[in-house]
Amino acid sequence: MIVLAGDVGGTNARLALVDLDARQTKVLRVEHYPSGAYPGLAPIVHKFLEGTDAKPERACFGIAGPVVDQRVHTSNLSWTIDGADLARETGIPRTLLLNDFAAVGYGIARLGPADLVTLQEGSALARGPIGLIGAGTGLGHGFLLWDQGSYRVYASEAGHTTFAAGNDLEEGLVRFLRAEYGHVSWERVLSGPGLAHLYRYLATSGFAPEQQAVRDAMAHEDPAAVVTHHALAGSDALCVKALDMFVSAYGAQAGHLALTIVATGGIYVAGGIAPRIAAKLKDGTFISAFRAQGRLSAFAASVPVHLIVHPDVGLLGAAEAAFQL
């Protein structure tokens, strides 16, 4: 069966034609589009399908935002997408909208061993709850629960809950961000913009001198990418500390998710940022914060933690959901 799958975020929309059956998956074509350059999703679908003979009868789109009754107002775009309207506009009658991390949840079943990097072995229980977390343009969450012979996938908007400072430096960060935003969510810290916030906070707090070369690069490039580059290279003290704070907070929130759903099936870390900082995620900072859960630290240490390195897990999941329609 050939289906149309989409992974739509605040920065990019990725669309694919996928041929799949119960056991095998083959991505036939993938295209990326800058989300902000389009007034909505339907024009992107038309652009993707023009000039092709493909006429998929099913489509599924993972959307960054809360999908309620097949309608979503995107979190980091000014789009409102209605599933019925989208089906009518694109001519694909069986069209499904999912939260983007619900799509990731469906994609787990289509991953192989090479698509994962294990950060903590733990001890997985068959049919145990599974948690999903991933930072990119925003911060996604989701979870899977076993029900009547298979996992059911659920979306979550936990990224918009209030950030909890774990030390004095993070308390200063909360005050810094509260002055600018009022409410300080986890997404304000754990996202591409959040990494830039961490750098700005450290620079204004006098943690270390700011290098002119780094400041100049940020004026012309994505600040989060600049921070990541210098942090991994060890070439700037502010960037190194910003990424360290980012990964520590990332691990802490992943640990919170593990406790919230009692994730005996494991935690999967997805999103666009994690694969780019895999070396940092493996240095112990993430897992140390993940395990630091007070009286339940021993439980946190027993939870398997895997990093998803497949670049298109959201597309695989959207295709799987369309297949199940």
Side-chain angles (χ1 to χ4, degrees):
M1 176 188 299
I2 297 177
V3 302
L4 174 61
D7 182 14
V8 183
T11 303
N12 293 300
R14 296 178 294 168
L15 269 61
L17 286 173
V18 184
D19 187 2
L20 73 169
D21 58 27
R23 300 181 62 183
Q24 295 183 329
T25 308
K26 183 178 181 181
V27 178
L28 303 176
R29 176 185 166 215
V30 179
E31 298 290 347
H32 294 210
Y33 302 90
S35 305
Y38 293 84
L41 181 54
I44 297 177
V45 174
H46 287 302
K47 180 74 173 178
F48 178 77
L49 292 177
E50 70 181 12
T52 178
D53 295 330
K55 296 184 182 300
E57 295 181 3
R58 302 183 187 186
C60 177
F61 302 92
I63 313 288
V67 178
V68 179
D69 195 24
Q70 286 301 288
R71 185 177 175 86
V72 57
H73 182 76
T74 54
S75 298
N76 295 294
L77 290 167
S78 58
W79 296 358
T80 297
I81 306 170
D82 181 277
D85 290 343
L86 182 63
R88 186 165 48 253
E89 291 169 5
T90 61
I92 304 174
R94 303 186 74 178
T95 293
L96 177 68
L97 303 183
L98 291 177
N99 171 268
D100 58 339
F101 260 70
V104 171
Y106 280 100
I108 286 177
R110 296 279 173 171
L111 297 178
D115 300 321
L116 301 171
V117 172
T118 297
L119 302 179
Q120 176 169 278
E121 286 288 348
S123 181
L125 294 183
R127 304 178 182 179
I130 293 172
L132 310 169
I133 185 171
T137 304
L139 178 63
H141 291 71
F143 57 98
L144 291 77
L145 301 178
W146 188 265
D147 181 39
Q148 298 183 10
S150 64
Y151 275 106
R152 291 185 180 271
V153 183
Y154 298 89
S156 170
E157 291 297 333
H160 294 283
T161 59
T162 304
F163 175 77
N167 53 49
D168 291 345
L169 194 59
E170 289 182 351
E171 287 177 359
L173 172 66
V174 170
R175 290 192 294 270
F176 175 80
L177 292 176
R178 186 180 293 137
E180 185 169 350
Y181 295 107
H183 178 246
V184 182
S185 67
W186 281 95
E187 185 168 286
R188 293 293 187 195
V189 178
L190 296 177
S191 61
L195 186 52
H197 294 332
L198 286 165
Y199 175 89
R200 289 194 298 113
Y201 161 62
L202 291 168
T204 58
S205 69
F207 175 82
E210 189 173 13
Q211 292 190 42
Q212 187 63 45
V214 175
R215 183 187 300 175
D216 291 345
M218 288 184 175
H220 302 95
E221 304 172 38
D222 174 22
V226 173
V227 172
T228 299
H229 169 75
H230 284 281
L232 295 178
S235 55
D236 179 77
L238 285 174
C239 293
V240 169
K241 185 60 177 179
L243 187 61
D244 190 70
M245 288 182 68
F246 181 91
V247 170
S248 180
Y250 207 164
Q253 178 64 348
H256 300 162
L257 176 61
L259 265 59
T260 299
I261 66 168
V262 192
T264 53
I267 292 290
Y268 288 78
V269 182
I273 294 176
R276 300 172 190 164
I277 61 170
K280 178 63 180 174
L281 291 174
K282 293 189 289 185
D283 76 358
T285 303
F286 181 97
I287 290 301
S288 178
F290 182 89
R291 294 177 178 176
Q293 302 296 333
R295 289 177 290 174
L296 288 180
S297 294
F299 169 75
S302 75
V303 175
V305 182
H306 306 289
L307 167 62
I308 298 174
V309 293
H310 193 294
D312 292 318
V313 62
L315 286 176
L316 295 182
E320 172 66 17
F323 178 74
Q324 292 185 22
L325 272 174

